[in-house]
Amino acid sequence: MMNKHNIINIKSLDIQTIHELLIRALFFKNNPQTVTLTNKIIGNLFFEPSTRTHCSFQAAIQRCGGNSIDLQLEYSSMKKGESLEDTVKTMEQYCDLLVIRHPEKDFIERCTDYISIPIINAGNGDGEHPTQALLDLFTIQQSHNLHKSLKIAFCGDLKHSRTCHSLVYLLDKICDHITFYFISDDLLVLDDIFFHQLRNKYICGNDLGEVISSIDVLYMTRLQKERMKYTNIFSPLLLPTLKNISITNDMLNEAKPDMILLHPLPRNEELPRECDSNPRSKYFEQMKNGVYMRMAILEWCLAV
Ligand code: NCD
């Protein structure tokens, strides 16, 4: 188990691996039909809804000539009372690698204790989403030099957004000249643990309009209403403040011409469709990059 390549969180990824993954993702972007996964079977276990992560893993597997088994929860023996652990253990018998998404923060990490094939975290509750962060980093790197000074704003529900958590950790790990701007409602700020750990500078605010003209990257997220149910945070009182953590096309036009706007999607009111044709909007490109980064990740995890 020692040499197994899992991707569970950003902390356990070393800097050299991150750079290798960026290089391989670019290779796959230029060579999108490279067969590296012949005879490999990937198990996709999504215990939470997913469009982009699930389908881009599927696309990556197919582009690399691999095969996949998607656990169909509705028709699985979990409906007969089978435990989660037995379900995952069963999939291990059929597959070479498991991609898992689960609403509990600790479930995926716990799987590494009793599963001996590689595991990729495709989202653990409001914890992390490391493969999304890697594809986000790849997208940022395509337009900005990561070694120069960069102003990167995260805007929205920073408390519950696992994509933000992983990307903040990742950028902080590999960049030395970032100023982070964390723009959110007071109820939705990052937990203190982030601020204690950050190496780079950060500024917190609650109005996107105040920073839009000075930043290089804007990373928007939706309100994670399904997670607020558990923390009792969601209240209609929050709604009037939402316009300060939303964007419009007029605001976007105030940004620098080379500023890029990213969003992991799905989106709600915070990112209207009128922004889609703005040249700064890169979220569709970001999605496509997800396939190339996941091709690189699968190759690395299977050490092929
Ligand atoms: C995100 C997720 O599932 O965490 N989407 C994604 O994977 N691209 C973001 C979200 O649900 O808001």
Side-chain angles (χ1 to χ4, degrees), residues 19-276:
H19 285 294
E20 279 168 21
L21 289 171
L22 289 169
I23 292 168
R24 284 306 277 171
L26 183 59
F27 171 83
F28 286 122
K29 190 164 187 168
N30 295 323
N31 302 274
Q33 293 299 148
T34 305
V35 173
T36 56
L37 299 180
T38 313
N39 298 329
K40 297 292 181 193
I41 300 179
I42 315 300
N44 290 315
L45 287 77
F46 281 76
F47 299 101
E48 260 192 356
S50 173
T51 299
R52 273 148 294 271
T53 306
H54 192 172
C55 295
S56 65
F57 264 112
Q58 287 281 39
I61 293 162
Q62 289 176 29
R63 286 192 178 279
C64 290
N67 290 296
S68 60
I69 300 176
D70 284 22
L71 182 70
Q72 305 290 328
L73 284 185
E74 276 303 296
Y75 302 101
S76 78
S77 287
M78 287 182 73
K79 292 277 171 200
K80 303 182 205 166
E82 184 160 51
S83 69
L84 265 174
E85 287 73 13
D86 279 357
T87 304
V88 177
K89 197 72 196 159
T90 301
M91 291 292 278
E92 180 191 25
Q93 312 313 311
Y94 308 143
C95 301
D96 299 293
L97 178 152
L98 300 179
V99 177
I100 309 179
R101 169 173 286 192
H102 194 274
E104 262 178 55
K105 218 166 175 170
D106 301 327
F107 177 74
I108 299 171
E109 189 154 14
R110 281 205 310 274
C111 289
T112 61
D113 294 339
Y114 59 91
I115 298 294
S116 54
I117 59 174
I119 295 178
I120 296 176
N121 174 3
N124 59 323
D126 63 4
E128 284 209 40
H129 195 342
T131 67
Q132 176 74 38
L134 286 162
L135 75 90
D136 295 337
L137 183 71
F138 177 52
T139 307
I140 295 171
Q141 191 205 34
Q142 300 242 290
S143 57
H144 289 91
N145 184 338
L146 298 176
H147 301 295
K148 293 230 168 104
S149 93
L150 283 178
K151 293 182 175 173
I152 303 189
F154 287 81
C155 178
D157 181 357
L158 309 185
K159 184 177 185 65
H160 302 99
S161 169
R162 57 194 175 199
T163 67
C164 291
H165 301 166
S166 284
L167 185 57
V168 168
Y169 281 139
L170 184 59
L171 286 164
D172 195 56
K173 186 165 196 161
I174 70 155
C175 301
D176 295 317
H177 308 289
I178 291 187
T179 306
F180 288 113
Y181 291 81
F182 297 124
I183 313 294
S184 73
D185 183 88
D186 289 348
L187 292 173
L188 303 174
V189 291
L190 283 173
D191 287 344
D192 283 348
I193 179 144
F194 285 89
F195 302 119
H196 297 149
Q197 290 177 14
L198 290 182
R199 299 184 311 124
N200 287 275
K201 280 184 289 188
Y202 65 87
I203 295 168
C204 297
N206 53 20
D207 189 353
L208 180 57
E210 287 176 1
V211 300
I212 189 74
S213 58
S214 59
I215 54 181
D216 301 297
V217 178
L218 172 58
Y219 195 93
M220 301 284 301
T221 53
R222 70 182 172 98
L223 286 187
Q224 308 265 314
K225 293 177 193 157
E226 74 276 28
R227 306 204 190 285
M228 294 175 195
K229 278 193 298 216
Y230 303 107
T231 48
N232 278 333
I233 239 178
F234 188 63
S235 115
L237 293 175
L238 200 56
L239 293 173
T241 65
L242 283 188
K243 76 171 182 19
N244 296 343
I245 51 172
S246 300
I247 189 132
T248 61
N249 200 38
D250 285 344
M251 285 167 77
L252 203 45
N253 283 328
E254 288 171 30
K256 294 184 201 171
D258 65 348
M259 193 278 285
I260 61 166
L261 169 58
L262 303 181
H263 192 306
L265 275 84
R267 60 174 146 186
N268 296 141
E269 309 76 23
E270 75 287 350
L271 174 57
R273 287 191 61 206
E274 62 172 21
C275 296
D276 291 1

Side-chain angles (χ1 to χ4, degrees), residues 277-301:
S277 54
N278 195 299
R280 298 170 185 83
S281 297
K282 298 292 180 206
Y283 32 91
F284 294 114
E285 183 69 16
Q286 180 187 3
M287 278 179 206
K288 194 176 271 192
N289 286 338
V291 177
Y292 309 124
M293 179 48 84
R294 288 180 170 126
M295 290 167 84
I297 288 169
L298 289 167
E299 176 188 53
W300 180 75
C301 286

